[in-house]
C-alpha cells in the first residue's frame, strides 16, 4: 500500500489530519463538527476506557448515568459555569417533526411541539448531577459520593479538528461530594495523580502536573489541576483536568448535609475528566512519518505476522509454524494477528501495519523455516533483527514491555529538552518561535499580563507546575516581582 | 430497614415503580422523561454490557461511534424510517444562549444562533450510519461491515416509566452491511439467537423467538425478528429486536458495491438492538414482594456476609473467620461483601440486602464460630440452612450456579403455564382477562384484524413464533383460513 502521508516537517497539522484518517482512527461525518470514530480508533479508546475505569474503581468510585439534557433553568443555576458554556450550547427547542406541506415527502419542525422550557445538550454535567445530589445527601453518613460517568457531551466549537476539538466528544466525568474542604481538595489531587499515572505509565506520554491560572480555570471551579503534555511540534496539549469546586455547586443547588453535630453545612465538590482528545495526544506524541506508533498497552493488535511465500506448499508450512507461535503468544497475553490475506503482497502489508502502528511485525518465509528463525521488526525504531524461534514468544513479550518503556523515555527526552527557562521577553519570543515547547518564566500573577503575553505571542500559561520552586524573580513581561515560574506554551 | 414495599398482588405497577427506586436502581430526574441510573443499577447494566460485548466480538463485530445528531435532510432520506420516528424527536435548532436582557443573571436562546438545518437527536442511527457506510464500501472485498455502537438515544415518549419507557435510554445498536440477501438474513437471525442466548443463559429470562407482523415491524425494515419475554403480571415485554433491512437504507443512501463480476449492486443491511429496558425485564421476571431478586450472573454483590455480635471481641473473632472465607470466595471468582457497618443492626442489614437482591446471604455469630458453621440464606427461595465451614466456599460457588439455573427454571415454568391455545374469540377475551400471558391463536394475516383485536382487547401480536407449526386453522376473530398460530398478549 502506498501511504502518501505528508511528512511532519512539511506540514505537521496536515500530517496529523491525514494520519488520523488513513490509519482508520476517525473521520469527519456528515454532521458539522462531529466525528465518526472508526473501529480501529474505537478499539484504542476502549483500551483507555478499560484501564481508566479500573483505576477509578480501585480508588473507590462507582459509575452511574445522568440525563443528556439540562433544562435551561437548571443550567443557569451556577452562574459562572453557565456563562462559561452558554456560548457553545446545542439547544433542543422542539420535540416533534411533521410532514412539510410545501415539500412532499419531507419533514419540518412542528411549531405546535415547542418545549415549554428549552433543553441544553450537556456540555458537562455538573448542573444535572448536583441537582440530583440534592436528593442523595442528607447526613454526613451519605458522604462522600464518589461517582463517575462515561458519556458524550456537546460543545458547539466553530473550528473543529478530529479528536482535538469536536462538537460532540466522548469522555468520562467524575463528580464527587465531600463533607470537608480538605477531603475535596485531596480528591481533586488524587484524580490528577490518577490521570498523570495513566498518561505516563499506560499511554507513555510524559506530563507536567500543575494548577491553572484563574483565567484558564474551569468555569465554576475554585481551583483547576491539570496534566499538560508536549506534542512533537512544540505545542502543549491539556490532557486532563481535575477541579476543586469548593461549595459553588452545593450552594447553587442547595446541597446541604447535617454534620456529626447535627449542623447543616454545604457539601464540598470536585469534578474531573479526560476525553477522546487523548487520542490526539497519543498520535502527536509517538507517531512518525511512516504513520501511527502505538504503545503496546494501547495497540488493538500488538504483533502482526506476515508470511513470505510463493507456493501454497510454502504457505502451509509457514501457517503451521505460525499456529504454534500464535498459541504461545496468546498464552502470554499478547494480541496477535496472522495476516494471511492472499489478495495483498508482503510489501503492501508491511506498509499497512506500519501505518496502523502495530508495535511488532514478524515476517517468516521458507528460509526462516529452514533456519529456525523469524524476522522481528520494531515499529518504533523501524529496526529489524533475525531471532531464533526457540524462546521467541517470551522474547516478543519482553520486547513489547521494552517498547512501552522506550516510547516513554523517548517522549520524556523530547519534553525535557523542550522546557526552556527564560528571563526576558525578547528571549521568550525567540525561544517560542525558534524552538517551541514549554517556556518556564516568571509572571507577576495578573490576568492582565497573561492576556497581553497571549495577544503578543499566542502563548498561554499552561500551568503553575506543582513542583515549581519558590524563588525570587521578576515577571518576564512587566518586571514586577514574582515568586514562582509558570509554564507557557502555544497549545492545542 | 423497613421496606414498606407495595406487594405485587396489591398493585403490580406500583410495586415495580417503588422497587426500582428503593433498590437504588434508578430514579426520575429533573428532566422530563429522563432517568438517572444509580450506581447499583448501573453496575447491573455494566454486567449486561460486558457479556453482550463479549458475545458481539465473538461473532466478529467491532465497536465504533457515530454522531449523536442527524441533520434533518439525512434523517428524512429513508422515508418509512423517518415517518416512524418523526413524531417523537428531540430537535436542536440553536447553538448558543445569551444573557436575557429582561431577566438579569438568566439566559435565553440567542435568536442569531439559529442552525441553517435542524439537527435531530438520534432516535436510532440507521440514517447517520448508512450515510457513513457510503464512503466505506466500494467493492465486495469491503463487505461485510459488522459494527456495533454503545450509545444513548432519545425518543420523546409522552408517558414514561423507569427503564421501560424513557425519553433517553442507553442501548447498543448493531448495523451491518452484506453483499447478499442471504447473508444479511443469516446475520439478523444470528443476532436474534445471540439475544435469546443472552436473555436465557445470562439473565435467566425465558424468551420466545419470532417474527413481528408488518404492523409491529421496525420502520424501514423488511423483517423484524424479536425475542419476547413474559412478566409476572402476565404482560409480555419485547426484550430485543433484530431487523433485516433489505436494501432500503442502501437505496436511500446510495450505498453500492462492485460484486466479483464488477457489477454495481446495492448493499444488504441489518440492525439489531437491546436497551436498558432489559433492566425492567430483569426486575419483573424474578423479583418478589421482599424486593429485587438477581440472578448471580448479574449481581454486583453475589454474597453478603453479616456478622451477628454483641462485643468487639466477638466481632474481631468473626472478622477473622470472614477474612478466610472472603479470600476463598474471591479465588473462586465470587463477588463478596462483608457488611461490618456498626451503625446498623443485623435485621436492618438483612432487609436491605434482600431488597437489593443479593443472591446469597451468610450470617455468622459466636455460636457459629464455636460450631464451625455458617448460616446460609438464599434470596430466591428465602430459605436458610446451617452449613459446616469446611468446604463452604466451594459450596457457595455451586449454590450460586444452582440459583442461576433455578431462577431460569422457575421463570420458564411460569411462562410455559401461561401460554394458552385458544380457538374462539370469547375464550380469547376470557383467558386474557382472567389469566393473562401469551395467547396462541390463529389469525388471518391482515393488519385490519390485528388492529380490531387490539382495539377490543388491548392485546397485540407479539410475534409469529419461529417454531410455530404449519396447521390448518381459522382466524380466532374473522374465521378466515390461517396456517399458523400467532402469539398475542398485552404488552409493556
Amino acid at each position: 500500500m502506498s501511504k502518501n502521508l505528508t511528512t511532519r516537517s512539511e506540514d505537521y497539522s496536515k500530517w496529523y489530519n491525514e494520519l488520523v484518517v488513513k490509519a482508520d482512527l476517525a473521520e469527519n461525518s456528515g454532521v458539522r463538527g462531529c466525528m465518526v470514530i472508526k473501529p480501529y480508533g474505537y478499539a484504542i479508546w476502549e483500551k483507555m476506557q478499560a484501564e481508566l475505569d479500573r483505576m477509578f474503581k480501585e480508588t473507590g468510585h462507582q459509575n452511574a448515568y445522568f440525563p443528556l439534557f439540562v433544562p435551561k433553568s437548571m443550567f443557569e443555576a451556577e452562574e459562572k459555569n453557565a456563562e462559561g458554556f452558554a456560548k457553545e450550547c446545542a439547544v433542543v427547542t422542539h420535540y416533534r417533526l411533521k410532514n412539510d406541506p410545501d415539500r412532499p415527502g419531507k419533514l419540518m419542525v412542528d411549531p405546535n411541539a415547542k418545549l415549554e422550557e428549552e433543553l441544553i445538550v450537556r456540555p458537562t454535567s455538573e448542573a444535572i448531577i448536583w441537582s440530583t445530589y440534592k436528593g442523595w445527601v442528607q447526613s454526613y453518613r451519605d458522604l462522600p459520593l464518589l461517582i463517575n460517568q462515561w458519556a458524550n457531551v456537546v460543545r458547539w466549537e466553530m473550528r473543529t479538528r478530529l479528536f482535538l476539538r469536536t462538537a460532540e466528544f466522548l469522555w468520562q466525568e467524575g463528580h464527587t461530594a465531600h463533607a470537608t474542604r480538605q477531603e475535596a481538595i485531596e480528591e481533586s489531587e488524587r484524580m490528577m495523580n490518577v490521570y498523570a499515572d495513566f498518561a505516563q505509565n499506560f499511554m507513555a506520554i510524559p506530563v507536567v502536573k500543575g494548577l491553572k491560572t484563574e483565567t484558564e480555570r474551569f468555569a465554576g471551579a475554585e481551583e483547576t489541576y491539570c496534566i499538560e503534555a508536549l506534542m512533537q511540534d512544540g505545542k502543549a496539549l491539556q490532557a486532563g483536568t481535575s477541579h476543586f469546586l469548593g461549595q459553588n455547586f452545593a450552594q447553587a443547588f442547595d446541597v446541604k448535609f447535617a454534620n456529626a453535630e447535627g449542623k447543616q453545612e454545604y457539601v464540598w465538590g470536585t469534578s474531573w475528566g479526560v476525553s477522546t482528545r487523548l487520542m490526539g495526544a497519543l498520535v502527536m506524541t509517538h507517531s512518525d512519518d511512516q504513520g501511527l506508533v502505538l504503545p503496546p498497552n494501547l495497540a488493538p493488535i500488538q504483533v502482526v505476522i506476515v508470511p513470505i511465500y510463493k507456493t501454497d506448499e510454502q504457505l502451509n508450512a509457514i501457517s503451521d509454524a505460525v499456529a504454534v507461535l500464535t498459541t504461545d503468544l496468546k498464552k502470554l497475553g499478547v494480541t496477535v494477528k496472522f495476516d494471511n490475506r492472499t489478495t495483498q503482497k508482503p510489501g503492501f502489508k508491511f506498509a499497512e501495519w506500519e501505518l496502523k502502528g502495530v508495535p511488532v511485525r514478524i515476517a517468516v518465509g521458507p528460509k526462516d523455516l529452514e533456519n529456525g528463525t523469524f524476522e522481528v521488526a520494531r515499529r518504533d525504531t523501524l529496526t529489524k533483527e533475525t531471532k531464533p524461534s526457540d524462546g521467541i514468544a517470551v522474547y516478543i513479550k519482553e520486547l513489547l514491555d521494552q517498547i512501552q518503556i522506550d516510547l516513554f523515555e523517548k517522549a520524556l527526552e523530547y519534553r525535557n529538552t523542550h522546557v526552556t527557562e527564560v528571563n526576558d521577553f525578547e528571549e521568550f519570543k525567540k525561544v517560542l518561535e525558534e524552538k517551541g515547547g514549554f517556556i518556564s518564566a516568571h509572571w507577576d500573577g495578573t490576568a492582565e499580563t497573561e492576556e497581553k503575553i497571549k495577544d503578543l505571542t499566542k502563548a498561554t500559561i499552561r500551568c503553575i507546575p506543582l513542583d515549581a520552586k519558590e524563588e525570587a524573580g521578576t515577571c518576564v513581561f512587566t518586571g514586577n516581582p514574582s515568586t514562582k515560574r509558570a509554564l507557557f506554551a502555544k497549545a492545542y
Side-chain angles (χ1 to χ4, degrees), chain A:
Chain A
M1 100 180 288
S2 161
K3 294 176 200 162
N4 284 327
L5 197 60
T6 299
T7 64
R8 289 168 296 171
S9 58
E10 277 174 330
D11 185 337
Y12 195 80
S13 174
K14 201 169 165 202
W15 165 83
Y16 173 82
N17 293 340
E18 284 180 11
L19 179 51
V20 168
V21 172
K22 291 194 177 185
D24 269 343
L25 301 181
E27 65 182 38
N28 286 306
S29 75
V31 191
R32 205 200 134 288
C34 294
M35 66 180 158
V36 171
I37 306 179
K38 298 182 78 171
Y40 194 65
Y42 200 85
I44 297 170
W45 174 242
E46 279 181 314
K47 285 187 180 283
M48 293 189 199
Q49 283 188 301
E51 177 66 6
L52 284 167
D53 201 69
R54 191 192 65 71
M55 295 174 91
F56 298 157
K57 283 173 178 159
E58 203 173 75
T59 44
H61 303 85
Q62 293 179 295
N63 289 328
Y65 189 77
F66 298 85
L68 171 68
F69 299 129
V70 190
K72 186 161 67 69
S73 56
M74 192 188 282
F75 179 79
E76 64 198 4
E78 211 292 325
E79 280 191 44
K80 277 194 187 159
N81 188 250
E83 199 181 304
F85 289 100
K87 292 193 189 83
E88 49 184 32
C89 279
V91 187
V92 175
T93 55
H94 292 74
Y95 59 85
R96 195 164 62 218
L97 298 174
K98 63 169 204 167
N99 292 322
D100 186 340
D102 299 333
R103 296 156 59 245
K106 303 293 178 182
L107 299 165
M108 60 179 282
V109 173
D110 184 343
N112 294 323
K114 193 168 187 306
L115 290 170
E116 278 180 40
E117 180 176 12
E118 295 90 349
L119 299 174
I120 316 305
V121 182
R122 63 182 165 215
T124 179
S125 299
E126 279 77 8
I128 184 78
I129 288 180
W130 280 89
S131 80
T132 307
Y133 281 180
K134 182 175 167 59
W136 293 3
V137 178
Q138 278 86 44
S139 136
Y140 69 96
R141 287 189 207 90
D142 301 321
L143 296 171
L145 288 174
L146 301 173
I147 292 182
N148 176 62
Q149 163 170 278
W150 290 97
N152 53 344
V153 286
V154 171
R155 297 177 186 176
W156 204 263
E157 304 278 0
M158 280 303 162
R159 298 185 60 181
T160 60
R161 285 188 73 190
L162 291 170
F163 291 123
L164 298 172
R165 198 172 291 277
T166 47
E168 182 193 15
F169 57 89
L170 302 184
W171 79 346
Q172 61 67 218
E173 46 181 327
H175 296 270
T176 71
H178 306 264
T180 68
R181 178 186 179 87
Q182 185 54 31
E183 264 184 55
I185 290 176
E186 281 168 14
E187 168 77 3
S188 320
E189 291 177 351
R190 182 180 304 116
M191 299 323 289
M192 172 199 60
N193 285 321
V194 164
Y195 289 155
D197 179 5
F198 172 75
Q200 303 202 142
N201 298 318
F202 199 75
M203 297 186 67
I205 299 178
V207 294
V208 177
K209 296 189 272 192
L211 280 168
K212 287 288 179 192
T213 63
E214 196 179 341
T215 313
E216 300 277 335
R217 203 175 282 160
F218 178 74
E222 285 200 11
E223 200 74 271
T224 289
Y225 297 86
C226 64
I227 56 170
E228 295 284 327
L230 192 64
M231 305 296 97
Q232 297 162 339
D233 61 346
K235 285 171 76 176
L237 185 145
Q238 174 181 301
T241 50
S242 179
H243 316 295
F244 168 60
L245 303 174
Q247 296 175 313
N248 292 345
F249 286 89
Q251 284 170 2
F253 292 96
D254 194 34
V255 186
K256 289 181 191 164
F257 70 102
N259 68 16
E261 290 78 44
K263 213 185 121 208
Q264 292 286 310
E265 289 183 42
Y266 284 112
V267 165
W268 298 86
T270 85
S271 65
W272 28 275
V274 297
S275 74
T276 36
R277 205 163 196 241
L278 285 177
M279 294 287 294
L282 178 71
V283 171
M284 291 195 292
T285 300
H286 303 302
S287 299
D288 64 22
D289 294 344
Q290 304 307 310
L292 211 56
V293 174
L294 291 175
N297 283 344
L298 287 166
I301 302 165
Q302 295 174 311
V303 175
V304 66
I305 306 176
V306 177
I308 318 285
Y309 64 97
K310 293 210 172 105
T311 68
D312 283 359
E313 204 182 351
Q314 287 173 341
L315 178 58
N316 289 340
I318 291 168
S319 299
D320 290 346
V322 167
V324 174
L325 175 56
T326 301
T327 307
D328 290 349
L329 285 171
K330 285 188 179 163
K331 271 188 208 151
L332 296 171
V334 174
T335 317
V336 52
K337 181 184 176 75
F338 180 34
D339 184 0
N340 58 358
R341 284 177 293 176
T342 53
T343 46
Q344 309 294 356
K345 299 226 163 104
F348 179 97
K349 294 177 184 178
F350 284 16
E352 178 173 350
W353 299 117
E354 257 173 34
L355 178 62
K356 290 196 155 184
V358 174
V360 170
R361 180 187 74 220
I362 296 175
V364 49
K367 272 259 171 72
D368 294 298
L369 291 188
E370 263 173 49
N371 301 336
T373 58
F374 290 101
E375 185 193 83
V376 178
R378 277 176 73 150
R379 173 64 187 89
D380 61 331
T381 54
L382 294 169
T383 53
K384 288 193 282 201
E385 51 183 351
T386 300
K387 300 299 290 186
S389 55
D390 258 19
I392 184 84
V394 170
Y395 173 77
I396 296 290
K397 168 74 179 154
E398 288 168 358
L399 180 61
L400 289 167
D401 294 343
Q402 192 58 49
I403 292 171
Q404 181 76 31
I405 292 166
D406 289 354
L407 283 174
F408 178 72
E409 292 299 332
K410 188 179 168 192
L412 183 64
E413 166 73 15
Y414 174 82
R415 200 278 310 274
N416 285 346
T417 55
H418 286 78
V419 183
T420 312
E421 277 200 7
V422 310
N423 294 308
D424 75 72
F425 197 58
E426 288 312 307
E427 201 191 343
F428 186 107
K429 289 188 285 189
K430 188 162 174 255
V431 171
L432 194 68
E433 280 321 301
E434 292 176 8
K435 185 180 175 188
F438 288 122
I439 294 179
S440 174
H442 277 285
W443 160 63
D444 65 15
T446 68
E448 197 191 346
T449 301
E450 195 179 358
E451 181 74 19
K452 279 186 184 156
I453 294 176
K454 185 179 172 185
D455 286 347
L456 289 167
T457 67
K458 290 186 184 154
T460 51
I461 299 181
R462 303 317 304 152
C463 66
I464 319 293
L466 291 190
D467 63 1
K469 290 170 300 202
E470 291 279 337
E471 65 174 33
T474 55
C475 175
V476 74
F477 188 71
T478 60
N480 290 336
S482 151
T483 59
K484 267 187 191 174
R485 288 175 184 271
L487 223 45
F488 292 80
K490 292 188 195 174
Y492 280 96

